[in-house]
């Protein structure tokens, strides 16, 4: 048979040739990204374990701090999203109260550097103070100074002045998916590091005294070495940043964070590859698992319904997380000897422009158990270092957010934007308290192969993993069964089945209650202080373990349905019980298992609301330790707080060198209040309570009890227990009444009167010529960034002439065709002719929020017909230059385009989009009467390099003007008349009460509610706190930051100022702007839900009563506690 191109041999040869070509290309790409700066060696920047290992070390299990293996339980904190520095402390104290021992901080280059060569580290940018605050509160810090941080912030955290240098390749991006090392960009990064890193270096744990808070420093952010096998990460970039960090005095370990598991920049074992393969001390990777439907990757291509949230599937979690440990360990090399580390573990999700649901809907979408589910699942994969992103989102105040996010950065996080500690935090805290209490068990574990699991379930998909402790404590063989209800039947009750010792024996079954999509860690094979009391398995969560005298004390959960059960073996008796119950069921029992005579099953009957059990040795002895279990129901557990002394250096100094792994030591436990925080410096309990909370329960731990309970206490005898009345004194009762009355009077809005108003005079603004690319082009040579007009609005003024003929019936229509990003309101001769928005959540579409934004060939353009009345409104209409020979005259017209961009894009991963155009890209006026050559354009805005804060401007040069204000005739405040253009309104109001007679401090967060189709910018006491876009953004309620609000006791009024404009007349009715307390579901925690979700129309909703809707506020008291804590 003659040869032809279609023969099998030809096909094979073609495929082989293609494979060789692909291999060659890949090898070229691999060599290209390895770079040329191989004189900077991996060994040059590795952590010096020989010198600092006695303070900080690590193995494959965990970090080791002062000789103690330590869990790192962290939450993300963005100080630059809190414009009021005074709130840093209370928010960070909430992190500590939640059970975290660490935070990660993105340090924002652009926030500190408003102009080239200028760096500011004072006021709300004082990071030295911030790190000192963390040391005082007891929080470690994972420092992430970038230079690139992503974080849904303008330009990914780069300064605007740097982004505007078009000759610079930001992140070395030459174009999308292609990097080329840029030494000039690197020089600027080094300059930034040299300014900020010495401040961080002063707070390292590796410093001489070992008491600093900074544990590790992140290099770059999500800088993939490979993306799905494609080589993209530049080794020279990492080399220079790591070398600069070391030269600036950074001695702690360096770490990276892959956007997902790709094995980037792992330190290689092969010495021959170290020259070219650069590695960083600790490998980290981010895990975002469940996306909202309008954020998950397919929605970037195919649009989704912006009003709908579909239920998320458990299969997503299973596929993303259940093989995580195996995948990460497979990267090998040094990664087999370092802890599994997740610098960003999903703690919620952000929301977008154009979406019709709010963060409250996103909170419901994930549910209040989601973050706890993430915690338990990654711990089941051996993770001992994790950071929740976000834990408190904060606010994109000013214009600090990028094009993906609006003002609120609530993130549906554990702490809501206005400071409420949500139900998600409270359920997560229960998991964190378990990890802290049993950290000696949890910090070193190995996976148990499925065939060797000692616990099974009667319901499929309810056990995801089992691990065995590898610690050196007495409970080194403890087993952890990770129970996670992903059952397709969605049943809440099932049985945990203990494997029998022999095939002939029947298994023991324990009742387990666990709602669908929730999880907990079931402790088993654990020996208490008394070897006669050995836990085989707890089918209910144990949250806290502490020691009081010769007692081991647990706080455990009562099942919401069915009995609460634990299995023990050993020679023990039920020494003491007590309970409160809502049913007539018989009391707590310790029975012998029907299938295994060596097992004793502790069973607490359904309906019990609280109780206790004391288990002791069967042989009577007053010296043998006892196990004391306190059982609490879920609503009570939602208020559980525990103070741990986990400052290892302090314990080391006090105790000297010690053997074995120690758990974080509970010093004090409370329940019954909205929030509690113990101050070890002043020996005071700081207690916040709601109107409906009346008693605080305090359980102390120590070897020398100063007070013990009486025998008939519901929580048992022999404990260091005390109850404190909340708001019990006469002065407190009066304070409570005063605060409650103020809230009730202002629930529909604080009275705002004496409104003043003025209008922006466009003619009075300073204007710059806006040249075109060429005389024949409609495109402009420069866009907003080139003028450094990147905060708020950019205003364009166009002029053109028409040749008008009186009485003519010829076509005299005139159009203006514009291409803008993102929102525009247009005026011609002072008449509003309409508005338009170009913004897209999809890739490769005009106004794309991320990636390539196509704007050539007229893509994204929009044409508006100029109404006749607008043309007729020209100044001196009918009096233009006469052309008698033609029987007509020319008339000059003025166009004003007010354009507001949603912010610069952030250049994530492998896209090059920071310089996507903003403002007016092109414009052209057309019509048969338009005089050719008469069209000209100018631009006005604020050069952000002249500002102290580059993100804090409306873009209008008259934003601080005191000229032209006059009293408004409107009784209800601001109104929108389109032809009025841009108007400013201001009023003053008294803040809420906080302090009274010194007995209490009230916390009443405020919101500003906007309603109607218009655009507005909200300024509170001189700070730009919010941007409102009508239905183009889902946000209606804006947080008025507590630290910016003048309280009533200051006798200083607050000023609310609003810049407002729109293309439609506002409807008559209620005011457009109201200031009121936050009205939320379950406002006072009566239902124990604490969602923090806004309930906007309390008086109109039939379900308001059953939802316990009301204003969220708390009262603070201080309680001195014993010196033994």
């Amino acid at each position: 048979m003659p040869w032809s191109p279609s023969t099998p041999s030809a096909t094979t040869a073609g495929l082989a040739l293609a494979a060789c070509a692909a291999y060659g290309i890949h090898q070229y790409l691999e060599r290209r990204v390895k770079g040329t700066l191989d004189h900077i060696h991996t060994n040059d920047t590795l952590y010096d374990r020989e010198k600092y290992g006695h303070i900080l070390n690590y193995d494959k299990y965990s970090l080791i701090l002062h000789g103690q293996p330590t869990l790192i339980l962290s939450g993300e904190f963005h100080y630059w999203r809190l414009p009021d520095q005074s709130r840093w402390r209370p928010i960070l104290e909430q992190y500590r109260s939640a059970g975290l021992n660490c935070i990660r901080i993105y340090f924002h280059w652009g926030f500190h550097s408003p102009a080239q060569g200028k760096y500011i580290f004072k006021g709300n940018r004082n990071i030295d103070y911030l790190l000192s605050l963390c040391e005082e509160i007891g929080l470690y810090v994972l420092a992430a100074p970038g230079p690139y941080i992503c974080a849904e912030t303008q330009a990914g955290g780069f300064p605007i002045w740097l982004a505007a240098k078009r000759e610079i390749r930001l992140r070395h991006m030459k174009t999308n998916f292609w990097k080329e090392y840029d030494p000039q960009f690197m020089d600027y990064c080094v300059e930034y590091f040299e300014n900020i890193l010495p401040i961080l270096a002063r707070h390292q744990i590796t410093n001489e005294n070992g008491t600093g808070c900074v544990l590790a420093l992140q290099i770059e952010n999500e800088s993939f070495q490979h993306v799905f096998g494609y080589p993209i990460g530049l080794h020279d970039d990492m080399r220079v940043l790591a070398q600069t960090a070391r030269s600036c005095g950074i001695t702690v370990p360096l770490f990276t964070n892959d956007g997902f598991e790709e094995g980037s920049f792992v330190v290689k074992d092969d010495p021959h590859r170290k020259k070219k393969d650069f590695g960083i001390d600790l490998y980290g990777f981010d895990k975002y698992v469940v996306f909202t439907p309008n954020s998950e990757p397919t929605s970037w291509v195919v649009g989704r319904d912006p009003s709908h949230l579909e239920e998320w599937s458990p299969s997503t979690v299973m596929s993303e997380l259940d093989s995580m440990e195996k995948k990460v360990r497979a990267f090998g090399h040094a990664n087999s000897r370092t802890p599994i580390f997740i610098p960003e573990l999903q703690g919620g999700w952000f929301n977008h422009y154009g979406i019709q649901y709010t963060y409250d809907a996103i909170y419901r979408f994930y549910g209040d158990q989601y973050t706890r589910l993430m915690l338990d699942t990654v711990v089941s994969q051996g993770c001992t270092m994790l950071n929740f992103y976000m834990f408190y989102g904060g606010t994109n105040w000013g214009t600090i957010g990028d094009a993906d996010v609006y003002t609120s950065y609530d993130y549906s996080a554990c702490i809501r934007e206005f400071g409420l500690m949500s139900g998600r935090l409270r359920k997560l805290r229960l998991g964190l308290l378990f990890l802290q209490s049993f950290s000696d068990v949890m910090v070193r574990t190995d996976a148990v192969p499925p065939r060797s699991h000692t616990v099974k379930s009667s319901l499929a998909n309810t056990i995801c993993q089992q691990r065995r402790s590898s610690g050196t404590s007495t409970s080194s063989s403890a087993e952890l069964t990770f129970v996670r209800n992903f059952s397709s039947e969605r049943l809440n009750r099932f049985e945990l089945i203990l494997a029998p010792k022999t095939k002939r024996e029947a298994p023991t079954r324990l009742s387990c209650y666990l709602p669908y999509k929730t999880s907990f860690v079931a402790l088993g094979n654990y020996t208490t202080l008394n070897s006669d009391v050995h836990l085989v398995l707890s089918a209910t969560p144990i949250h806290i373990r502490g020691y009081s005298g010769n007692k081991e004390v647990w706080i455990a959960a009562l099942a919401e349905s069915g009995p609460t059960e634990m299995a023990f073996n050993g020679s023990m008796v039920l020494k003491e019980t007590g309970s409160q119950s809502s049913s007539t069921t018989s009391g707590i029992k310790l029975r012998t298992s029907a299938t295994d005579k060596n097992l004793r099953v502790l069973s607490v009957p359904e309906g019990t609301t609280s109780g206790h059990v004391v288990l002791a040795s069967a042989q009577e002895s007053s010296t043998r330790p006892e196990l004391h279990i306190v059982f609490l129901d879920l609503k009570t557990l939602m208020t559980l707080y525990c103070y741990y002394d986990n400052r290892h250096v302090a314990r080391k100094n006090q105790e000297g060198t010690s053997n074995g792994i120690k758990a974080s030591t509970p010093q004090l436990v409370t329940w019954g209040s909205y929030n509690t925080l113990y101050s070890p410096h002043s020996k005071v309990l700081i207690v916040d309570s709601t109107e409906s909370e009346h008693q605080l329960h305090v359980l102390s731990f120590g070897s020398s009890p100063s007070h013990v309970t009486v025998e008939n206490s519901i929580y048992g005898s022999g404990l260091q227990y005390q109850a404190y009345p909340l708001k019990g004194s006469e002065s407190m009762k009066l304070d409570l009444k005063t605060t409650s009355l103020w809230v009730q009077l202002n629930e529909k809005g604080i009275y705002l009167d004496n409104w003043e108003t003025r209008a922006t005079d466009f003619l009075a603004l300073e204007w710059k010529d806006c040249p075109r690319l060429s005389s024949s082009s409609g495109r402009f040579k420069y866009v907003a960034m080139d003028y450094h007009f990147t905060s708020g609005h950019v205003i364009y003024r166009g002029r053109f002439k028409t040749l008008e003929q009186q009485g003519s019936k010829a076509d005299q229509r005139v159009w203006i065709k514009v291409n803008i990003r993102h929102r525009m309101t247009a005026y011609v001769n002072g008449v509003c002719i309409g508005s338009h928005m170009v913004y897209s959540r999809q890739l490769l579409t005009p106004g794309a929020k991320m990636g390539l934004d196509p704007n050539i060939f007229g893509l994204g353009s929009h044409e508006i017909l100029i109404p006749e009345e607008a043309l007729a409104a020209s100044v001196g209409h009918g009096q233009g230059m006469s052309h008698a020979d033609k029987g007509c005259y020319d008339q000059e017209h003025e166009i004003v385009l007010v354009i507001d961009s949603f912010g610069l894009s952030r250049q994530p991963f492998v896209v090059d989009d920071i310089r996507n155009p903003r403002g007016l890209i092109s414009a052209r006026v057309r019509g048969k009467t338009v005089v050719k050559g008469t069209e000209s354009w100018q631009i006005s805005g604020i050069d952000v390099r002249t500002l102290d804060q580059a993100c804090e401007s409306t873009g209008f040069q008259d934003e601080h003007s005191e000229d032209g204000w006059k009293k408004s005739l409107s009784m209800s405040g601001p109104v929108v008349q389109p032809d009025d253009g841009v108007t400013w309104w201001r009023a003053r109001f008294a803040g809420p009460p906080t302090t009274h007679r010194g007995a209490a401090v009230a916390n009443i967060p405020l919101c500003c509610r906007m309603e109607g189709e218009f655009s507005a910018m909200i300024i509170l006491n001189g700070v730009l706190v919010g941007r409102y876009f009508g239905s183009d953004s889902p946000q209606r309620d804006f947080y008025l930051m507590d630290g910016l609000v003048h309280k009533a006791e200051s006798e200083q009024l607050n000023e609310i100022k609003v810049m407002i404009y729109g293309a439609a007349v506002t409807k008559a009715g209620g005011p457009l702007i109201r200031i009121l307390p936050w009205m939320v579901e379950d406002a006072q925690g009566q239902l124990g839900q604490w969602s923090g979700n806004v309930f906007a129309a309390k008086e109109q909703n039939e379900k308001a009563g059953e939802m316990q809707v009301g204003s969220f506020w708390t009262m603070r008291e201080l309680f001195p506690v014993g010196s033994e804590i």
Side-chain angles (χ1 to χ4, degrees):
M1 182 175 67
W3 181 90
S4 73
S6 60
T7 60
S9 59
T11 302
T12 302
L15 291 174
L17 185 62
C20 289
Y23 176 77
I25 293 171
H26 188 270
Q27 288 299 105
Y28 162 73
L29 293 173
E30 284 282 8
R31 288 194 301 271
R32 190 186 72 83
V33 298
K34 296 294 175 61
T36 61
L37 303 179
D38 50 13
H39 62 279
I40 304 174
H41 197 285
T42 296
N43 289 342
D44 298 333
T45 63
L46 286 179
Y47 175 62
D48 192 340
R49 301 170 93 173
E50 183 176 344
K51 184 175 182 179
Y52 303 108
H54 65 288
I55 297 176
L56 186 156
N57 212 331
Y58 51 85
D59 57 20
K60 75 170 187 176
Y61 293 110
S62 70
L63 283 192
I64 302 169
L65 304 181
H66 299 288
Q68 284 295 314
T70 304
L71 297 169
I72 301 301
L73 307 171
S74 178
E76 189 80 11
F77 179 72
H78 294 171
Y79 62 96
W80 38 274
R81 282 192 159 111
L82 287 78
D84 45 341
Q85 187 197 61
S86 61
R87 270 195 309 133
W88 291 2
R89 176 184 289 275
I91 293 293
L92 289 176
E93 287 176 342
Q94 288 179 312
Y95 280 53
R96 189 76 161 91
S97 174
L100 300 176
N101 63 0
C102 184
I103 64 172
R104 190 184 76 151
I105 306 174
Y106 269 142
F107 295 92
H108 192 300
W109 183 358
F111 187 62
H112 292 280
S113 183
Q116 185 172 348
K118 184 177 183 180
Y119 288 89
I120 301 174
F121 296 104
K122 61 183 180 180
N124 66 342
R125 289 171 280 195
N126 189 340
I127 59 175
D128 186 65
Y129 166 74
L130 173 61
L131 295 173
S132 296
L133 189 60
C134 291
E135 290 161 357
E136 178 187 338
I137 293 172
L139 290 167
Y140 296 120
V141 172
L142 300 170
Y148 172 76
I149 63 172
C150 189
E152 292 76 61
T153 187
Q154 281 219 64
F158 289 132
I160 300 303
W161 60 261
L162 180 65
K165 294 179 181 291
R166 292 187 176 272
E167 71 278 11
I168 298 291
R169 292 194 292 274
L170 298 173
R171 297 193 84 190
H172 309 283
M173 296 297 301
K174 188 170 185 178
T175 186
N176 291 288
F177 301 96
W178 190 263
K179 289 185 177 183
E180 285 188 10
Y181 184 77
D182 183 347
Q184 193 175 0
F185 167 68
M186 210 73 249
D187 287 344
Y188 287 115
C189 293
V190 170
E191 175 193 286
Y192 162 58
F193 266 23
E194 288 174 344
N195 275 274
I196 194 170
L197 293 190
I199 302 174
L200 305 186
R202 294 200 292 267
H203 294 272
Q204 295 174 107
I205 193 174
T206 46
N207 292 347
E208 186 175 354
N209 59 9
T211 59
C213 60
V214 176
L215 297 178
L217 185 97
Q218 180 177 311
I219 297 296
E220 238 279 344
N221 180 69
E222 294 175 342
S223 183
F224 289 97
Q225 185 175 346
H226 298 88
V227 177
F228 301 117
Y230 171 64
I232 184 70
L234 300 184
H235 289 241
D236 283 352
D237 182 31
M238 305 301 279
R239 286 185 177 108
V240 174
L241 291 175
Q243 182 189 57
T244 304
R246 294 304 184 204
S247 66
C248 289
I250 297 299
T251 55
V252 294
L254 307 178
F255 70 94
T256 61
N257 68 321
D258 257 349
F260 45 85
E261 306 98 305
E262 285 285 313
S264 298
F265 302 107
V266 171
V267 176
K268 299 295 192 295
D269 288 339
D270 183 354
H272 298 294
R273 299 182 63 189
K274 285 185 178 179
K275 275 287 186 182
K276 285 292 185 180
D277 283 280
F278 189 76
I280 299 292
D281 295 307
L282 296 174
Y283 173 70
F285 58 96
D286 298 344
K287 288 305 296 184
Y288 294 94
V289 181
V290 174
F291 298 94
T292 59
N294 282 283
S295 294
E296 58 92 18
T298 61
S299 72
W300 301 346
V301 180
V302 181
R304 297 292 186 86
D305 180 355
S307 64
H308 181 59
L309 283 168
E310 302 166 359
E311 183 181 3
W312 59 270
S313 170
S315 63
T316 305
V317 176
M318 296 165 70
S319 63
E320 283 289 323
L321 294 180
D322 287 358
S323 300
M324 184 184 79
E325 182 178 18
K326 181 180 178 181
K327 184 176 183 179
V328 172
R329 291 303 187 200
F331 296 140
H333 301 282
N335 207 46
S336 62
R337 302 185 298 276
T338 57
I340 293 181
F341 178 18
I342 307 179
E344 294 184 22
L345 177 62
Q346 185 177 21
W349 195 247
F350 57 88
N351 206 12
H352 314 280
Y353 291 105
I355 299 297
Q356 296 175 22
Y357 51 77
T358 66
Y359 278 112
D360 293 347
I362 294 177
Y363 185 94
R364 292 188 202 92
F365 168 76
Y366 286 108
D368 59 10
Q369 189 74 24
Y370 180 79
T371 313
R372 170 69 183 279
L373 189 74
M374 291 293 101
L375 173 71
D376 290 342
T377 303
V378 300
V379 171
S380 79
Q381 294 293 307
C383 178
T384 60
M385 296 180 66
L386 58 91
N387 172 70
F388 288 105
Y389 188 106
M390 295 293 298
F391 199 78
Y392 171 70
T395 307
N396 291 314
W397 63 284
T399 59
I400 206 165
D402 80 334
D404 219 0
V405 290
Y406 47 86
T407 295
S408 176
Y409 198 66
D410 177 88
Y411 218 83
S412 73
C414 286
I415 303 173
R416 304 303 298 270
E417 183 184 9
F418 58 97
L420 180 140
M421 300 172 70
S422 72
R424 189 175 295 162
L425 177 149
R426 297 168 187 279
K427 291 189 175 179
L428 173 66
R429 175 165 58 186
L430 297 177
L432 294 171
L433 294 181
F434 171 78
L435 293 178
Q436 293 263 32
S437 290
F438 290 91
S439 57
D440 56 335
V441 173
M442 300 300 301
V443 76
R444 300 170 66 90
T445 65
D446 294 300
V448 177
R451 64 180 180 277
S452 301
H453 283 190
T454 58
V455 179
K456 296 184 179 179
S457 174
S458 63
L459 187 63
N461 292 323
T462 52
I463 293 180
C464 66
Q465 181 63 288
Q466 191 175 68
R467 303 187 73 86
R468 187 169 291 119
S469 177
S470 303
T472 59
S473 67
T474 55
S475 298
S476 59
S477 60
E479 293 177 346
L480 299 312
T481 301
F482 292 82
V483 189
R484 184 185 65 192
N485 189 349
F486 280 170
S487 165
S488 58
E489 293 93 336
R490 304 193 179 196
L491 300 176
N492 294 336
R493 287 180 58 180
F494 50 93
E495 293 176 319
L496 295 181
I497 305 169
L498 289 166
K501 296 179 180 179
T502 66
K503 293 183 178 180
R504 293 183 179 181
E505 294 179 347
T508 298
R509 295 170 175 264
L510 300 179
S511 176
C512 181
Y513 173 84
L514 188 67
Y516 179 60
K517 290 186 177 179
T518 64
S519 61
F520 78 99
V521 183
L523 181 65
N525 196 32
Y526 170 85
T527 302
T528 68
L529 282 179
N530 187 339
S531 58
D532 288 342
V533 183
H534 178 84
L535 176 70
V536 178
L537 180 68
S538 174
T540 193
I542 300 169
H543 299 300
I544 290 176
R545 176 189 63 177
Y547 302 96
S548 180
N550 70 338
K551 285 178 178 284
E552 180 169 337
V553 182
W554 296 352
I555 294 181
L558 288 164
E560 293 181 67
S561 175
T564 302
E565 295 190 329
M566 299 177 175
F568 294 85
N569 62 22
S571 178
M572 74 192 79
V573 295
L574 189 61
K575 180 179 178 180
E576 183 182 317
T577 67
S579 65
Q580 287 184 337
S581 176
S582 60
S583 69
T584 57
T585 310
S586 57
I588 301 170
K589 294 181 179 179
L590 183 67
R591 57 180 171 81
T592 301
S593 168
T595 58
D596 186 343
K597 302 302 181 183
N598 295 316
L599 288 183
R600 310 290 297 281
V601 176
L602 177 67
S603 183
V604 181
E606 181 176 8
T608 303
T609 55
S610 64
H612 78 277
V613 167
V614 178
L615 297 176
S617 296
Q619 297 178 351
E620 293 187 12
S621 172
S622 60
T623 61
R624 296 297 301 276
E626 299 173 341
L627 174 63
H628 193 130
I629 309 174
V630 175
F631 290 100
L632 300 174
D633 64 9
L634 180 60
K635 182 180 176 182
T636 303
L637 288 171
M638 294 285 271
T639 65
L640 193 65
Y641 162 76
C642 182
Y643 171 74
Y644 291 96
D645 182 9
N646 57 9
R647 296 166 296 171
H648 297 287
V649 64
R651 289 167 53 197
K652 178 177 179 293
N653 291 340
Q654 293 170 6
E655 302 169 10
T657 303
S658 57
N659 297 320
I661 301 174
K662 292 188 175 183
S664 299
T665 307
Q667 303 289 296
L668 178 146
V669 174
T670 73
W671 61 90
S673 68
Y674 164 78
N675 186 37
T676 304
L677 184 76
Y678 174 65
S679 171
H681 307 291
S682 57
K683 304 292 183 183
V684 164
L685 276 176
I686 305 166
V687 181
D688 295 318
S689 63
T690 65
E691 190 174 14
S692 62
E693 293 169 330
H694 304 292
Q695 191 171 54
L696 178 72
H697 305 268
V698 180
L699 190 61
S700 305
F701 296 97
S703 57
S704 303
S706 60
H707 54 266
V708 297
T709 57
V710 294
E711 293 293 332
N712 61 357
S713 166
I714 191 61
Y715 302 115
S717 61
L719 296 180
Q720 301 174 62
Y721 167 81
Q722 190 166 349
Y724 295 89
L726 295 173
K727 304 176 290 291
S729 67
E730 290 303 315
S731 62
M732 278 296 301
K733 291 176 182 178
L734 187 59
D735 291 345
L736 178 65
K737 184 177 180 180
T738 301
T739 305
S740 179
L741 179 61
W742 187 93
V743 170
Q744 291 175 28
L745 290 174
N746 292 283
E747 280 189 343
K748 294 184 179 180
I750 296 174
Y751 182 62
L752 299 172
D753 65 347
N754 296 319
W755 280 98
E756 295 178 293
T757 186
R758 67 174 177 86
T760 287
D761 181 358
F762 293 122
L763 293 176
L765 302 178
E766 294 180 9
W767 296 94
K768 294 182 178 182
D769 288 338
C770 196
R772 298 183 186 273
L773 284 174
S774 67
S775 58
S776 60
S777 175
R779 293 178 67 89
F780 294 101
K781 187 175 182 179
Y782 305 114
V783 292
M785 182 193 291
D786 298 301
Y787 299 93
H788 298 87
F789 294 168
T790 56
S791 183
H793 297 79
V794 185
I795 307 97
Y796 292 83
R797 180 171 69 176
R799 288 191 171 123
F800 69 95
K801 290 182 179 180
T802 58
L803 199 61
E804 301 185 13
Q805 192 167 10
Q806 291 181 337
S808 173
K809 294 184 179 181
D811 186 358
Q812 297 192 34
R813 290 178 297 172
V814 178
W815 292 264
I816 178 172
K817 186 177 184 180
V818 296
N819 200 348
I820 59 101
R821 302 292 186 275
H822 290 106
R823 299 178 81 250
M824 173 195 76
T825 300
Y827 305 86
V828 173
N829 299 325
V831 177
C832 181
I833 64 170
S835 61
H836 181 61
M837 182 173 79
V838 181
Y839 177 79
S840 176
R841 297 187 302 278
Q842 279 73 57
L843 298 173
L844 302 176
T845 53
K849 66 174 187 175
M850 181 175 66
L852 180 65
D853 177 356
N855 55 74
I856 58 174
F857 308 120
L859 291 173
S861 295
H862 177 70
E863 195 166 62
I864 301 176
L865 174 65
I866 300 176
E868 291 183 12
E869 58 269 26
L871 294 172
S874 173
V875 176
H877 180 70
Q879 301 176 13
M881 182 179 293
S882 175
H883 298 268
D885 57 329
K886 299 180 181 179
C888 60
Y889 62 92
D890 59 20
Q891 186 67 54
E892 187 172 62
H893 304 275
E894 182 179 77
I895 308 167
V896 173
L897 306 180
V898 177
I899 301 177
D900 195 357
S901 90
F902 292 148
L904 300 179
S905 297
R906 65 182 182 274
Q907 200 143 319
F909 302 147
V910 294
V911 298
D912 183 21
D913 61 7
I914 285 178
R915 296 187 177 115
N916 284 355
R918 299 292 185 259
L920 184 61
I921 301 170
S922 66
R924 185 62 85 189
V925 179
R926 72 173 183 88
K928 292 182 178 180
T929 62
V930 175
V931 180
K932 291 183 178 181
T934 61
E935 184 181 344
S936 64
W937 288 87
Q938 293 179 306
I939 185 172
S940 179
I942 295 291
D943 184 339
V944 297
R945 295 172 299 177
T946 65
L947 302 174
D948 184 64
Q949 294 269 19
C951 65
E952 197 183 357
S953 175
T954 63
F956 281 86
Q957 296 164 1
D958 65 339
E959 59 190 350
H960 302 300
S961 175
E962 288 298 319
D963 297 332
W965 287 100
K966 58 184 179 181
K967 188 171 182 179
S968 169
L969 298 178
S970 170
M971 299 296 293
S972 60
V975 294
V976 177
Q977 294 290 342
D979 294 348
D980 288 348
V982 174
T983 57
W984 300 77
W985 298 74
R986 70 183 181 189
R988 293 169 178 82
F989 66 95
T994 54
T995 58
H996 299 283
R997 280 149 295 278
V1001 176
N1003 175 37
I1004 310 172
L1006 299 180
C1007 91
C1008 177
R1009 177 164 296 165
M1010 312 286 283
E1011 298 173 278
E1013 286 301 317
F1014 56 90
S1015 298
M1017 284 189 151
I1018 307 164
I1019 300 171
L1020 173 66
N1021 294 327
V1023 179
L1024 178 57
V1025 298
R1027 304 167 74 190
Y1028 176 73
F1029 297 109
S1031 59
D1032 290 334
S1033 169
Q1035 186 168 5
R1036 299 287 182 274
D1037 295 304
F1038 295 83
Y1039 177 42
L1040 301 183
M1041 297 80 174
D1042 187 66
L1044 299 180
V1045 175
H1046 304 311
K1047 306 306 186 297
E1049 291 72 29
S1050 72
E1051 298 184 355
Q1052 185 175 357
L1053 293 177
N1054 298 278
E1055 181 186 82
I1056 188 79
K1057 183 164 69 174
V1058 181
M1059 184 214 71
I1060 194 167
Y1061 62 92
V1065 177
T1066 51
K1067 297 179 180 179
L1072 298 174
I1073 301 171
R1074 286 190 292 167
I1075 296 174
L1076 63 163
W1078 281 89
M1079 302 292 294
V1080 298
E1081 303 168 351
D1082 192 25
Q1084 296 293 305
Q1086 297 98 320
L1087 306 177
Q1089 294 173 342
W1090 292 114
S1091 73
N1093 285 352
V1094 171
F1095 218 92
K1098 173 187 174 183
E1099 63 277 5
Q1100 298 175 6
N1101 199 293
E1102 296 178 357
K1103 295 184 178 180
E1106 62 187 77
M1107 291 298 296
Q1108 301 287 346
V1109 177
S1111 301
F1112 167 69
W1113 55 278
T1114 59
M1115 300 285 286
R1116 170 165 290 189
E1117 301 173 76
L1118 303 180
F1119 295 95
V1121 291
S1123 59
E1124 73 277 356
I1125 296 174

